[in-house]
DNA sequence: ACAAAAGTGTTGAGGGTACACCCATGG
DNA sequence: CCATGGGTGTACCCTCAACACTTTTGT
């Protein structure tokens, strides 16, 4: 009987594109600096080899923690890249994931930089190892499409946020302005935001109402034929 | 120096979900019957192992031709499946693709059935090998979303088609009725259909105008910020 | 008092949906 | 002449886009 282990096989890796937002109004990407060749010293996406009998998302989550100490993100599969020449060591297939993190939570860890990991602004990325530049481009395209149809944008914000923060987020990711009144009308009409009994603090102007994303209500609503769409 | 070939690796395969339409008004899927264990005799998606230094889409195209003699389709990557227990032979990662073919063109080959390959109606699929049932479900979900945003539906029809055929296609895939007048208005307004100087023949009623998809015009239009959206 | 952002309604245009009848062709 | 699908226009509604001033708060 022919056994599949009789054949030579490509190596299988996972890579993670983690996006984040901060007060600078730029979209950021989490990168690590490579310690080993190939591309030693260059910046790259966190990722690595899939272990025997390890699921893909599990591998992505493990590598992300090992290399950047970031955990608890919601990972979505992006695409799989298998050009035979994409890794100088030999035929390597990589399954790419993307995720959104809020820099408010991860700010300190990224700043610590203990593992040569840090956030880079999308606009000024260094040259990346392998085909990671391409992967990041694909990830941002997918993010732009998905954020308009699914309420994933909230992952980029702290749990409690203001409508203005939410609007900025969409403006940054989609790189286009929104009308304040129309934006608020639309979002509030969707009825998936919980209006909290709290306001912003420590701001040198009128304090804004804080909101929270109502995941439960969204799930219900979605089942009964309902579209996010922004 | 550590070499990547020192580590054990999962096997890498590709699988293809090919959809087709015929006059029966059901969406069809192209399946093959397995000649070898595991799942010997069961129906499965066409696909197989990626060869050394072979690109993923190239592998998918090759396997599709080898197993079903179907060529020339536009393949789109769907998702990658890597649950370690999805193949009883051992850890196997499969990259799934989907494609649309028009049964008018492939009708004869499929009927020939020389390779135990044939079309099955989506509504009455046999039990599939591996996790191929899940993959088909994911493919149909993706198809339903994509067909509303990109003009891929035309791939399911012959080059020359009538507006009624096009409407049926959308009704079948999206499983909901469209209003005839509104559908025609919308499609014609998009201005990506070439109205041919030909009509249907051999029909027991008034002959319908034939149209053709204008790929070139669509490409141009798309660059200047234009959305398909149905 | 002033600076800075929060908050709030109306109008007009365009697109979507609902809807019914006559026309051409083959049998 | 009959059965079958082909082809066409209008009216209403609702959603989206444009647009400016008052309110609150901290300094």
């Amino acid at each position: 009987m022919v056994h599949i282990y009789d054949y030579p096989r490509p190596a299988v890796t996972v890579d993670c594109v983690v996006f984040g937002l901060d007060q600078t109004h730029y979209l950021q990407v989490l990168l690590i600096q490579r310690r080993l060749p190939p591309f030693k010293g260059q910046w790259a996406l966190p990722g690595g080899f899939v272990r025997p009998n390890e699921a893909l998302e599990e591998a992505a989550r493990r590598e992300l923690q090992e290399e950047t100490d970031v955990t608890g993100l919601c990972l979505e599969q992006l695409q799989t890249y298998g050009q035979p020449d994409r890794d100088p060591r030999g035929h390597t297939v990589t399954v790419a994931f993307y995720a959104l993190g809020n820099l408010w939570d991860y700010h300190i860890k990224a700043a610590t930089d203990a593992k040569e990991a840090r956030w880079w602004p999308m606009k000024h990325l260094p040259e990346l190892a392998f085909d990671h530049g391409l992967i990041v481009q694909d990830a941002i395209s997918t993010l732009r499409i998905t954020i308009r149809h699914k309420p994933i944008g909230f992952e980029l914000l702290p749990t409690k946020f203001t409508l203005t923060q939410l609007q900025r987020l969409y403006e940054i990711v989609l790189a286009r302005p929104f009308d304040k009144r129309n934006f608020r009308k639309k979002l509030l009409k969707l009825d998936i935001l919980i209006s909290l009994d709290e306001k912003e603090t420590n701001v040198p102007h009128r304090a804004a109402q804080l909101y929270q994303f109502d995941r439960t209500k969204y799930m219900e609503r979605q089942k009964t034929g309902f579209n996010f769409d922004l």
Side-chain angles (χ1 to χ4, degrees), chain A:
Chain A
M1 169 185 163
V2 176
H3 196 278
I4 58 171
Y5 281 90
D6 295 343
Y7 299 103
R9 357 173 126 174
V12 180
T13 60
V14 288
D15 285 301
C16 301
V17 186
V18 182
F19 291 109
L21 264 195
D22 66 1
Q23 294 83 346
T24 65
H25 296 187
Y26 288 107
L27 195 59
Q28 315 266 325
V29 183
L30 185 57
L31 298 178
I32 59 143
Q33 197 168 23
R34 291 183 59 81
R35 285 234 178 85
L36 302 170
F39 300 101
K40 182 174 173 178
Q42 266 199 40
W43 291 88
L45 294 171
F49 292 98
V50 174
R51 294 184 177 163
N53 295 314
E54 186 178 42
L56 296 169
E57 188 176 323
E58 190 186 335
R61 215 171 278 288
R62 174 181 54 73
E63 289 285 352
L64 192 56
Q65 165 151 35
E66 285 176 12
E67 297 188 336
T68 68
D69 205 28
V70 168
T71 58
L73 295 184
C74 176
L75 293 172
E76 287 287 333
Q77 217 184 98
L78 178 65
Q79 244 209 301
T80 299
Y81 299 80
Q83 277 304 113
D85 58 358
R86 57 175 295 283
D87 188 322
R89 293 168 293 187
H91 193 187
T92 303
V93 169
T94 198
V95 182
F97 289 81
Y98 77 98
L100 306 178
N102 60 319
L103 286 188
W104 284 270
D105 288 2
Y106 295 111
H107 189 261
I108 299 140
K109 292 170 188 166
T112 308
D113 199 17
K115 298 201 154 212
E116 315 286 357
R118 54 163 280 209
W119 297 96
W120 286 79
M122 265 300 288
K123 307 270 177 185
H124 306 102
L125 292 185
E127 196 184 337
L128 298 187
F130 306 103
D131 52 359
H132 289 186
L134 169 65
I135 297 179
V136 170
Q137 290 310 315
D138 287 350
I140 183 70
S141 301
T142 301
L143 172 62
R144 288 208 173 109
I145 292 171
T146 311
I147 207 172
R148 294 187 47 203
H149 302 299
K150 301 210 163 168
I152 54 170
F154 302 102
E155 314 269 354
L156 285 165
L157 292 177
T159 318
K160 302 171 178 181
F161 52 85
T162 69
L163 289 180
T164 302
Q165 284 177 312
L166 189 60
Q167 180 177 345
R168 290 252 172 75
L169 183 165
Y170 277 92
E171 290 177 337
I172 292 168
V173 172
L174 299 178
R176 97 176 133 90
F178 283 86
D179 177 84
K180 183 162 56 152
R181 282 175 284 194
N182 294 335
F183 183 86
R184 294 161 103 89
K185 246 182 294 173
K186 203 161 180 178
L187 262 291
L188 290 175
K189 178 138 44 125
L190 288 176
D191 192 28
I192 49 171
L193 293 185
I194 302 171
S195 168
L196 300 172
D197 280 337
E198 280 178 79
K199 303 210 165 190
E200 259 181 330
T201 51
N202 293 334
V203 285
H205 52 75
R206 178 171 174 179
Q209 178 65 238
L210 286 172
Y211 292 87
Q212 199 174 327
F213 174 50
D214 192 338
R215 200 170 302 274
T216 315
K217 204 179 254 180
Y218 170 71
M219 296 294 196
E220 287 170 13
R221 196 71 46 87
Q222 202 185 14
K223 284 176 193 163
T224 65
F226 154 85
N227 254 4
F228 186 72
D229 276 338
L230 219 136

